[in-house]
Amino acid sequence: AQTYTTNVTFAEDKAIYTLSVISLSKTASELFNLLLKFIPLVLTVIVLLSALSAFICSRVIVAPIAKISQISKRMTELDMTWRCDTNRGDEIGILSSSLNTMAERLQNTMAELENANVQLTADVKKFKRLEEQHRNFFAAVSHELKTPLTILKGQIENMMLGYGDYQNHEKYLPQALKATEDIEYLVKEILSIT
């Protein structure tokens, strides 16, 4: 053992005191050697505690987040056939519940869009049928109007040129008037339909 001695004075007291420090160098070296023997054990305990903490952390925090990440990938593919576990009261549970709600709303919206698409397809088919009927109607009307117009035109031209019996205006003017009335009747029929 080694002893170190020194004189000490305090500001309030002018007396001189002797301070002695005894160093137990043998004890310090024994403590150091003991510490060296326990370092592998302490490091092993630290590594085991770290591994156990990492395992618990991955089970409690990382695994649910990884599952939510997989679910979000399924959502990007418009797959809404999943549900998150919502039996947790922390932020992960709240996030899971929010994802479930969002998926349900998206699924309902997609169903509404599909129904609207089916209705729109049916409406387009109906419109095409109506358009086809419209074309057929006007083709029939055109044909029906051409006949009396052709007769009227022929009678008027022949009367103007004075061909044969068409010089008799008193006979053919009433026929021309009748053809004009037939055309007028057809036009009124068309207007009442449209």
Side-chain angles (χ1 to χ4, degrees):
Q2 293 180 339
T3 303
Y4 299 100
T5 306
T6 186
N7 293 328
V8 178
T9 58
F10 295 102
E12 297 142 5
D13 189 8
K14 299 295 181 193
I16 297 177
Y17 298 96
T18 304
L19 176 65
S20 297
V21 177
I22 301 170
S23 169
L24 302 174
S25 62
K26 186 176 181 185
T27 305
S29 82
E30 285 178 2
L31 282 175
F32 184 72
N33 288 335
L34 187 62
L35 180 65
L36 286 177
K37 288 180 184 178
F38 280 110
I39 283 181
L41 178 64
V42 169
L43 287 176
T44 303
V45 168
I46 290 172
V47 168
L48 288 176
L49 285 175
S50 297
L52 181 63
S53 297
F55 177 76
I56 291 171
C57 182
S58 71
R59 284 290 187 189
V60 172
I61 297 172
V62 176
I65 291 175
K67 186 174 181 182
I68 289 173
S69 175
Q70 290 171 348
I71 287 171
S72 68
K73 286 179 186 174
R74 289 174 68 179
M75 283 180 73
T76 61
E77 297 168 2
L78 300 179
D79 177 10
M80 303 297 161
T81 59
W82 50 265
R83 288 294 172 260
C84 290
D85 296 331
T86 57
N87 55 357
R88 296 173 62 132
D90 59 358
E91 288 79 9
I92 293 174
I94 293 169
L95 177 62
S96 298
S97 178
S98 296
L99 281 174
N100 287 342
T101 302
M102 184 171 61
E104 186 176 327
R105 287 182 183 166
L106 280 173
Q107 192 168 14
N108 291 340
T109 302
M110 286 172 38
E112 289 172 7
L113 285 173
E114 285 177 14
N115 290 337
N117 190 27
V118 167
Q119 182 64 40
L120 183 62
T121 302
D123 289 347
V124 166
K125 287 180 182 177
K126 182 179 177 182
F127 178 76
K128 285 182 179 179
R129 279 195 311 271
L130 288 174
E131 191 176 344
E132 181 68 27
Q133 290 173 351
H134 184 75
R135 275 196 301 268
N136 291 340
F137 171 76
F138 280 108
V141 167
S142 173
H143 177 70
E144 290 297 321
L145 286 174
K146 281 182 185 177
T147 302
L149 278 174
T150 303
I151 291 170
L152 181 62
K153 182 180 176 187
Q155 287 176 343
I156 292 172
E157 283 178 353
N158 286 328
M159 281 189 277
M160 287 174 63
L161 295 173
Y163 285 130
D165 198 26
Y166 287 102
Q167 292 175 5
N168 184 0
H169 292 241
E170 293 162 5
K171 177 181 176 185
Y172 289 103
L173 279 176
Q175 289 177 2
L177 180 62
K178 170 78 171 91
T180 306
E181 288 171 350
D182 289 346
I183 293 170
E184 183 181 23
Y185 174 78
L186 285 173
V187 169
K188 285 181 182 177
E189 287 278 318
I190 293 169
L191 292 175
S192 69
I193 292 172
T194 58

